[in-house]
Amino acid sequence: MAKIISIANQKGGVGKTTTAINLSSLLAAAEKKTLLVDIDPQSNSSSGLSAANQSPSVYDVLIGTEEIRKAIINSFMPHLDILPANIHLVGAEIEMVDIESREAILRKALAQIKDEYDFIVIDCPPSLGLLTLNALAASDSVLIPVQCEYFALEGLGQLLNTINIVKKHYNPDLAIEGVLLTMFDTRLRLSHQVAEEVRKYFGEKVFNTVIHRNVRISESPSYGKPIILYDAISSGAKNYMSFASEFLERNSVITQNKEHEQS
């Protein structure tokens, strides 16, 4: 059964979509059957994997006009499928308002295909609206990218508050998967200061791997490719490979601990 991870931060430009694309691709490269769900109306995860303007899409699933299996498409990578977004998702929150249990629509849809994957990664919009609420209500955990720049910690309290509200009312088992430091510039003292503050605040939840600023990472989405297919020897690719390894290692330890507790 799949572990469902939302990648969320209401601040834009923190590397959320880049992380969704590259984590999903690297999990697939590790032969883990992976589904990337793009629930961001900007649909950058979809275009970043050459799946832009597909129909049906996640929009049709959310408003109930299409079943989820018919909206999922195979990517050009083995083991990686995509539930794409398109421009119609912009109006989805308004259309969902009158639907009963509207915060649980995505959870019910994913329940139908959860057994078919090892990991389901959800790329959330940069807001804390109904789409993000659906993602958090459907997830086992939340991965929070934080950019190593000024105002990095601003708004994180609001996100953590939202996570607590979701835990209280919709999804008591929701956990924080971890915090990923992104856009790190070794030349800037500020980057080191922000990293220190984040580690002080979140402790062991912060991944050891740091994603450095890298031009090749920024370029790869315009070619519709993850960084490992665009430039596998770039520092950006090495950063994300290290992160994916650490992510899998953490989840392997968690799985082993659960099995030990049950035995």
Side-chain angles (χ1 to χ4, degrees), residues 14 78 102 120 165 177 186:
V14 299
R102 55 188 177 271
I120 297 174
I165 290 169
E177 180 73 28
T186 50

Side-chain angles (χ1 to χ4, degrees), residues 73-242:
I73 59 172
N74 302 119
S75 76
F76 49 76
M77 287 186 72
H79 309 294
L80 178 60
D81 292 343
I82 306 167
L83 177 54
N86 59 30
I87 192 64
H88 297 300
L89 194 57
V90 170
E93 292 196 350
I94 297 168
E95 294 181 63
M96 291 162 67
V97 165
D98 294 328
I99 299 175
E100 191 177 346
S101 300
R102 55 188 177 271
E103 74 288 334
I105 298 169
L106 186 62
R107 179 169 59 197
K108 288 173 184 172
L110 291 178
Q112 299 171 41
I113 49 95
K114 198 174 178 180
D115 290 344
E116 299 166 27
Y117 294 94
D118 296 308
F119 292 99
I120 297 174
V121 177
I122 307 174
D123 182 19
C124 297
S127 67
L128 297 176
L130 189 51
L131 292 174
T132 298
L133 179 58
N134 258 265
L136 296 178
S139 296
D140 297 302
S141 63
V142 191
L143 174 62
I144 306 170
V146 176
Q147 86 279 33
C148 296
E149 294 178 355
Y150 198 61
F151 294 136
L153 297 175
E154 190 181 71
L156 270 186
Q158 193 180 349
L159 175 61
L160 295 174
N161 187 47
T162 300
I163 291 169
N164 287 331
I165 290 169
V166 171
K167 285 179 73 169
K168 186 177 179 181
H169 297 286
Y170 306 114
N171 184 2
D173 298 323
L174 183 65
I176 293 178
E177 180 73 28
V179 176
L180 177 66
L181 293 165
T182 63
M183 302 181 188
F184 188 90
D185 190 332
T186 50
R187 300 166 299 176
L188 299 179
R189 198 167 122 217
L190 179 63
S191 284
H192 295 276
Q193 288 173 336
V194 171
E196 193 179 320
E197 283 297 311
V198 172
R199 287 200 171 98
K200 199 184 294 180
Y201 190 80
F202 287 100
E204 291 182 356
K205 285 289 182 186
V206 183
F207 284 93
N208 294 322
T209 304
V210 173
I211 309 299
H212 292 75
R213 277 201 174 277
N214 179 248
V215 174
R216 306 302 271 173
I217 292 178
S218 303
E219 290 174 350
S220 60
S222 63
Y223 289 85
K225 293 179 179 178
I227 189 64
I228 50 161
L229 295 185
Y230 179 64
D231 188 349
I233 61 169
S234 66
S235 62
K238 290 171 184 172
N239 285 169
Y240 270 110
M241 283 189 267
S242 173

Side-chain angles (χ1 to χ4, degrees), residues 13-25:
V14 299
K16 181 177 53 62
T17 295
T18 302
T19 298
I21 291 170
N22 289 299
L23 176 61
S24 301
S25 302

Side-chain angles (χ1 to χ4, degrees), residues 36-88:
L36 174 58
V37 178
D38 188 355
I39 202 170
D40 185 347
Q42 296 176 76
S43 62
N44 289 335
S45 276
S46 303
S47 59
L49 287 171
S50 302
N53 304 315
Q54 298 287 327
S55 188
S57 69
V58 70
Y59 164 78
D60 302 281
V61 175
L62 291 172
I63 65 165
T65 58
E66 192 59 88
E67 61 180 72
I68 191 166
R69 278 192 180 83
K70 291 185 179 173
I72 290 172
I73 59 172
N74 302 119
S75 76
F76 49 76
M77 287 186 72
H79 309 294
L80 178 60
D81 292 343
I82 306 167
L83 177 54
N86 59 30
I87 192 64
H88 297 300

